[in-house]
Amino acid sequence: MLRHLRPALVMIAAFTAITGLLYPLAMTGVAQTFFPEEANGSLLAVNGEAKGSALIGQAFAGDRYFHGRPSATLGPDPSDPSKTTALPYNASNSGGSNLGPSNQALIDRIKTDSAELKAQNPGVSLPIDLVTTSGSGLDPHLSPEAAQFQVPRVAMARNLPVERVHQLVTQNTEGRILGFIGEPRVNVLKLNLVLDRDAR
Amino acid sequence: MTINGWVQILVFCALVAAIVSPLGWYMTRVFAGEKTFLSPLLRPVESGLYKLAGIDEREEQHWLTYALAMLAFNLTGFLVLYGLQRFQAALPYNPMEMANVAPDLSFNTAVSFVTNTNWQNYGGESTMSYLVQMVGLTVQNFLSAATGIALAIALVRGFSRASAKGIGNFWADMTRAVLYVLLPLCIVLAVVYVARGVPQTLGASVDVTTLEGGKQTIAVGPVASQLAIKMLGTNGGGFFNANSAHPFENPDALVNLIQMISIFAIGAGLTNVFGRMVGDQRQGWAILGAMAFLFLAGVSVAYWAEAGGNPLVHALGVEGGNMEGKEVRFGTAMSALFAVVTTAASCGAVNAMLSSFMPLGGMIPLINMELGEIVIGGVGAGLYGMLLFVIVTMFVAGLMVGRTPEYLGKKIEAKEVKMAILAILSLPVVMLGFTAIAVVTPTALSSIGNPGPHGFAEVLYAYVSGAANNGSAFGSLSGNTPWYNLTLGAAMLIGRFFVIIPAMAIAGSMAAKKRLPVSAGTFPTHGGLFIGLLVGVILIVGGLTFFPALALGPIVEHLSVIAGQSFAAGG
Amino acid sequence: MNTAHARDRASLPSLVDPSIIVPALTASVTKLDPRLMIKNPVMFVVEVVAALTTILFVKDVLVGGTSLAFSFQIILWLWFTLLFANFAEAVAEGRGKAQAASLRKTRTETQAKLLDSERARDFTLVPGGQLKVGDVVLVEAGDIIPSDGEVVEGVASVNEAAITGESAPVIRESGGDRSAVTGGTQVLSDWIRVRITAAPGSTFIDRMIALVEGASRQKTPNEIALNILLAGLTIIFVVAVATIPSFTAYAGGTIPIISLVALFVTLIPTTIGALLSAIGIAGMDRLVRFNVLAMSGRAVEAAGDVDTLLLDKTGTITLGNRQATSFRPMRGVSEEDLADAAQLASLADETPEGRSIVVLAKERYGIRARQMGELHATFVPFTAQTRMSGVDIGESIIRKGAVDSILAYLSPKIPVLSAGAAPTVKSLVGADQVREVQAIADDIAKAGGTPLAVAKDGRLLGVVQLKDIVKGGIKERFAELRQMGIRTVMITGDNPMTAAAIAAEAGVDDFLAQATPEDKLALIRSEQAQGKLVAMCGDGTNDAPALAQADVGVAMNTGTVAAREAGNMVDLDSDPTKLIEIVEIGKQLLMTRGSLTTFSISNDVAKYFAIIPAIFAAIYPQLGALNIMHLATPESAILSAIIFNALIIVALIPLALRGVKYRAIGAAPLLRRNLLVYGLGGIIVPFIGIKAIDLLITTIGLA
């Protein structure tokens, strides 16, 4: 074992330098030079002020905005920093609900949420992504159906014709990459920014 | 299930199949020490390293020497990583001013990364400094992967050589794996990832004011560089807590596809290296064929389960696939595929929360790992794990055709059977043993997050994932407790080294054997019959052991869910 | 193959013969001794478990536990499982024991006539058991040869029926390849002096007895490897079952220990564990019934692995005797003259070749057989010096022999005729004649024949063509061997041209012509250097090195002591064709093990489906969905599985003893076939069996 000591130490040190410092720092250099926006979090700015990231979902509560999916992220409890409490779309502590499919808590939550949503838009079938939390808790997207589902509420809150909002949603729906990779989706933050800009 | 979902799955398979041969060709040259197009650039670095470390790259090592070198290297790596975490507060590149990591968590994390498990009992963005992420975790992502590749190459040499004493040189194999294979591919991948939106910065988190006026702190960091090796090296330890479900760690479906391919790339390519080195590429394709069969069977079940959705939710009048814990941009098809890929290989990265998978959807990852992750498997680990099963298979098959069993002209005798069985045996012992202790230990039970059989599955999954060096989890289990930090650490160590050491012993004894000529009495190991038999042995020898545990976990949960029964906490 | 002898041996007691069954039943119980059981790890584990559950059961009876009847039945079947396993082994041993008993009768204590020295005439009577290696004894007509030895003087006819079953006497004489005698055989006529070569208690018969009884049976390498695999599987299932109580504790239930024991015992590979040693013993037994004694099980296994088979041409590939097929006279000599001379030279020649010449001369030219006496002829026998034989009739001298021998005889000055160089010494045959006769000889050799030159009164008359007769059906046998992946090499003393022609006719893959013992040894070594396993048979002392070098060396029983010691098998019938059967028996042995292992492991699928829903039913009734066999109750399910597990052992005993039939169809088709039968069959059969047993026991109300 002892005769392996020198190679072990030298190799660890050398590869720490190469793969631990040289590699990430070089990549950071390349990234900051060629892709500065993406490398720094794809931030969306309005009038020079960052309003969020194009890739990270945001918590929306008001009727004027499209709501993203439920988020199960947690944050420090303001009353007791040693504990955590629900803090949707906490982008410094990602995570999902981790509720198992047979967990009564999951069923209860979906029951409550779906009853609420169905009351808002009776007679329309409720898209499943509106009542399920995402894996990261930061899902920036909705399915097109889930966005369309919210159109009446947003249109009413903004005093806009339903068709106009429908149209905006359709315009902001992204298809599958190359026509078959991934799923069709609507970026909620981008849609809401468009709403704020174009349809005040 | 949709046609589009299956198209994506098949396109993924086709792309993986397409890179097997070129990558295999390239790696074969690298590990034979031959010139490649990168040699002019890398050869000076390589020679410099050997000189600095006092290594003669041409020195052939006995299997024991090879194994000891590997152990010395991994032990050193462990100590460095442990130290870095314990003192991160005092070290640079810590813009978020993270505190020192607790001893038990540091132990668990160090073991986890050195063994290529990358089980994470911590949230990346909330625990580790950039320095630890780069200099500690990223480095071990490279080195544990390189260790796996080196070991696989050494075992392959055991089959390809005849009457030889040595099985190669660990230092040379490991160095070449990093310099010629992992690093160049990572550089390319990292640039692609950044271009698609993965952050790569040393700046601190970004604070923004949301449209509704709230505050959002967005964690960023040197993500792309770590992401590249995390996938390619089948490490799976995420930069962020949500791993590849996090939009920064997996911004879109294209990146998702690339990530899945890079998980399989080296493991699949190594089967071709195997074929080339033993002088018959069909041997490699046959092994890949057996892997592909198990893989597609797993994907079919998982996708079917996830696309079918949760009957308990359907009963509430909400139709659709199971989207709890999944991202809209991936949907059920790519989430199910990713889960099977990540556990078939020993990656453990996730793009959806496995704990929220349907019972049978979550059972497939569990089975993948219980079989020892031999479907493609961890870089290197998958191949040597599979070859252990091949030895057992050929032993039985050889007897059935009336000859002393042999594989590739090497007789399989008591020693090889003993070592293969020891390695295969160690996994269920650790997986089931620790689970059995944990589910009757109050401290361990208090970490369980879901009631009923699902809670049992969480604990089982944790030890299965640890021992198989996967690292994925049913995240509902709060693993950051001294109990789990220590026991999972032990499971990871046993699961890694109790497979590696016997595998190396086999490499040594195989290399020393004479090569027997092939005759009509030799059972050909490149056809469908061999693949079928191998799959059968894997399922019956590797799988049946877990039947009782699976029955009490996912199977009973599945039967309950379809019968409309849920489980309430405290009930 | 010598079928008569095979039949002799096959008339050993059959499976259902009470003389086998009754002692086997007793042995099943005595073999429960843990000291014996521990040699078989799987069954030993079953015994430990059975003993522990029995103790628990007794305790339960005393304190008044529940479901005693169910527990009792399970425990009973556990013990039955063990007894069945022991029974299988005992039956396999039984046949060997019967054979050993008959051998032992011949080993009755004999009085030996110990000579004071090799040359002495006086002897003292000593008990045969006291003879030491190197002692010389006198054995006269009617005496039993007291121990193994080598004839140092004399010729005798010996009855070796005791070991070969062959009643026709054989000749044993000093020197040459027939000098070995075996203790226990009887001298019928004449006398011999024998130097003892075996220490007391280790004579050939002693070793035979030990072998057929299985007393000296050691585990073969493959058996050891298989045992490791089985032990490994057993440990895996220990873990799988031992963890269940804590898993169910989590789910809030408990499972009776007896149910866990039942699950465990049905899962571990008891079927193959129980039959493993029976398979090994039966393999040796099959050889014994072929009148072949393997000195170790390792040799039998090696036989299955053989890649190259070295076969002597004469007696194995061709009939032992060559036959004259034509007369080829020299220019100026009539065919009839040649025939006449050849016939005269062969009249007294009792070799098959000689007789065939007489027959051919009569067939072709009506030359009648004449009496040697009437002709006043003297027969000149073949000697190693002249390498010719012939006849002298008055002044007339006729000789026949190999072409070069006759040439040398006619013109002793001509050493070798180098091409084109005219002979410088005046001789009886001209250079033209030499060329002519050699052309004829080459012609014959190319056709696979052997030329026999005939000369009369110093004049070369011509050549008799002798032809080897290739045995019928041998070509097909070699094709079969090729299918098995075995290469055949013909060994012959013939010249390369003749050898090539016969090799082509017989369909061997290769040949070694003009082979010396050194050539044979070199060939074996070169084959082995390529990683091949070589089998050969031989009888002479000069074969001993090659026999020892070969991986499977079959010594002919008629051979010398040296040959017998060097080989690892002895063929009592001295039939070299048997090598082929020996290879098949070796393969059969391995295949039987492999197939039953596969069957045993495949069985687990059904057993899981029987027991898992049963034992978890109380905790999670949903798991009843896994009860795809619709077994009546949890108790009946568990009981059916364990009964099936025990009965399958008994059901497979005949197969274990008979062996899985080997088919020379190539490895892949063979494996496909065996997988279908024993792999797929192993998955399906228990589903049917367990269901049937369940129906039966619920009907009669056992559970």
Side-chain angles (χ1 to χ4, degrees), chain B residues 180-364:
Chain B
Y180 291 87
V181 180
L182 297 174
L183 205 49
L185 284 171
C186 280
I187 290 171
V188 175
L189 286 169
V191 172
V192 172
Y193 291 151
V194 174
R196 299 294 300 185
V198 178
Q200 178 70 24
T201 172
L202 295 175
S205 301
V206 185
D207 285 325
V208 297
T209 307
T210 66
L211 293 191
E212 290 192 335
K215 269 185 68 85
Q216 189 181 32
T217 303
I218 300 174
V220 289
V223 187
S225 57
Q226 197 195 326
L227 177 63
I229 185 61
K230 156 193 150 190
M231 294 302 175
L232 195 66
T234 64
N235 300 285
F239 192 94
F240 299 106
N241 189 38
N243 209 302
S244 279
H246 195 293
F248 277 162
E249 214 160 320
N250 199 353
D252 59 46
L254 185 64
V255 170
N256 188 58
L257 184 66
I258 295 170
Q259 290 193 14
M260 290 190 292
I261 292 170
S262 68
I263 292 175
F264 268 6
I266 293 179
L270 279 172
T271 61
N272 187 255
V273 172
F274 172 71
R276 286 175 192 271
M277 283 177 69
V278 300
D280 181 2
Q281 286 194 53
R282 294 174 306 175
Q283 303 291 349
W285 289 113
I287 292 203
L288 191 63
M291 293 172 167
F293 180 89
L294 289 166
F295 173 71
L296 282 172
V299 171
S300 305
V301 174
Y303 182 29
W304 165 79
E306 295 312 310
N310 191 340
L312 296 173
V313 175
H314 297 166
L316 301 173
V318 186
E319 292 303 317
N322 176 27
M323 283 300 288
E324 181 71 16
K326 293 189 181 61
E327 305 283 301
V328 166
R329 61 193 180 282
F330 306 135
T332 53
M334 287 304 94
S335 299
L337 179 64
F338 198 107
V340 181
V341 168
T342 196
T343 50
S346 157
C347 184
V350 290
N351 77 348
M353 295 301 120
L354 299 181
S355 185
S356 299
F357 266 42
M358 294 309 297
L360 297 187
M363 184 175 78
I364 296 300

Side-chain angles (χ1 to χ4, degrees), chain C residues 650-662:
Chain C
V650 182
L652 289 173
I653 290 177
L655 180 66
L657 298 187
R658 198 176 61 235
V660 171
K661 186 165 165 36
Y662 181 79

Side-chain angles (χ1 to χ4, degrees), chain B residues 234-525:
Chain B
T234 64
N235 300 285
F239 192 94
F240 299 106
N241 189 38
N243 209 302
S244 279
H246 195 293
F248 277 162
E249 214 160 320
N250 199 353
D252 59 46
L254 185 64
V255 170
N256 188 58
L257 184 66
I258 295 170
Q259 290 193 14
M260 290 190 292
I261 292 170
S262 68
I263 292 175
F264 268 6
I266 293 179
L270 279 172
T271 61
N272 187 255
V273 172
F274 172 71
R276 286 175 192 271
M277 283 177 69
V278 300
D280 181 2
Q281 286 194 53
R282 294 174 306 175
Q283 303 291 349
W285 289 113
I287 292 203
L288 191 63
M291 293 172 167
F293 180 89
L294 289 166
F295 173 71
L296 282 172
V299 171
S300 305
V301 174
Y303 182 29
W304 165 79
E306 295 312 310
N310 191 340
L312 296 173
V313 175
H314 297 166
L316 301 173
V318 186
E319 292 303 317
N322 176 27
M323 283 300 288
E324 181 71 16
K326 293 189 181 61
E327 305 283 301
V328 166
R329 61 193 180 282
F330 306 135
T332 53
M334 287 304 94
S335 299
L337 179 64
F338 198 107
V340 181
V341 168
T342 196
T343 50
S346 157
C347 184
V350 290
N351 77 348
M353 295 301 120
L354 299 181
S355 185
S356 299
F357 266 42
M358 294 309 297
L360 297 187
M363 184 175 78
I364 296 300
L366 203 47
I367 291 176
N368 273 337
M369 295 185 296
E370 286 168 346
L371 296 179
E373 288 167 347
I374 48 174
V375 178
I376 309 297
V379 286
L383 183 61
Y384 60 70
M386 188 59 139
L387 287 174
L388 295 173
F389 273 107
V390 169
I391 286 175
V392 173
T393 304
M394 289 313 294
F395 181 74
V396 177
L399 289 181
M400 276 206 283
V401 297
R403 278 176 77 92
T404 290
E406 58 185 88
Y407 180 56
L408 302 174
K410 299 296 185 103
K411 277 214 161 110
I412 299 170
E413 291 167 296
K415 183 180 179 192
E416 291 77 46
V417 173
K418 194 193 294 174
M419 290 300 157
I421 283 289
L422 180 65
I424 291 173
L425 187 67
S426 66
L427 290 183
V429 170
V430 174
M431 292 168 177
L432 293 175
F434 274 118
T435 306
I437 300 168
V439 293
V440 291
T441 306
T443 0
L445 287 171
S446 63
S447 289
I448 291 176
N450 279 294
H454 198 87
F456 172 73
E458 287 172 14
V459 180
L460 178 66
Y461 197 103
Y463 289 108
V464 166
S465 172
N469 297 142
N470 183 277
S472 66
F474 276 10
S476 37
L477 185 80
S478 322
N480 188 13
T481 64
W483 169 270
Y484 283 107
N485 280 331
L486 296 179
T487 55
L488 280 170
M492 291 185 263
L493 286 173
I494 298 171
R496 177 98 167 159
F497 295 106
F498 273 65
V499 176
I500 285 178
I501 306 288
M504 286 301 99
I506 291 175
S509 82
M510 283 291 180
K513 282 177 201 260
K514 279 197 280 194
R515 179 179 309 291
L516 310 175
V518 175
S519 75
T522 318
F523 167 53
T525 50

Side-chain angles (χ1 to χ4, degrees), chain C residues 12-98:
Chain C
L12 276 169
S14 80
L15 255 186
V16 287
D17 191 315
S19 71
I20 297 269
I21 301 289
V22 175
L25 287 174
T26 327
S28 317
V29 180
T30 54
K31 278 171 181 282
L32 287 175
D33 184 341
R35 285 167 301 179
L36 298 175
M37 276 306 231
I38 199 151
K39 286 183 191 157
N40 184 339
V42 177
M43 297 319 289
F44 181 70
V45 168
V46 176
E47 183 168 41
V48 170
V49 170
L52 290 177
T53 44
T54 309
I55 295 169
L56 281 179
F57 177 72
V58 171
K59 195 198 89 187
D60 277 356
V61 171
L62 294 178
V63 303
T66 51
S67 57
L68 287 175
F70 173 66
S71 301
F72 178 74
Q73 290 189 63
I74 297 281
I75 291 168
L76 205 61
W77 282 103
L78 288 181
W79 288 109
F80 274 139
T81 308
L82 286 163
L83 292 175
F84 292 162
N86 288 343
F87 179 72
E89 192 180 81
V91 169
E93 286 172 351
R95 297 212 273 196
K97 284 223 171 81

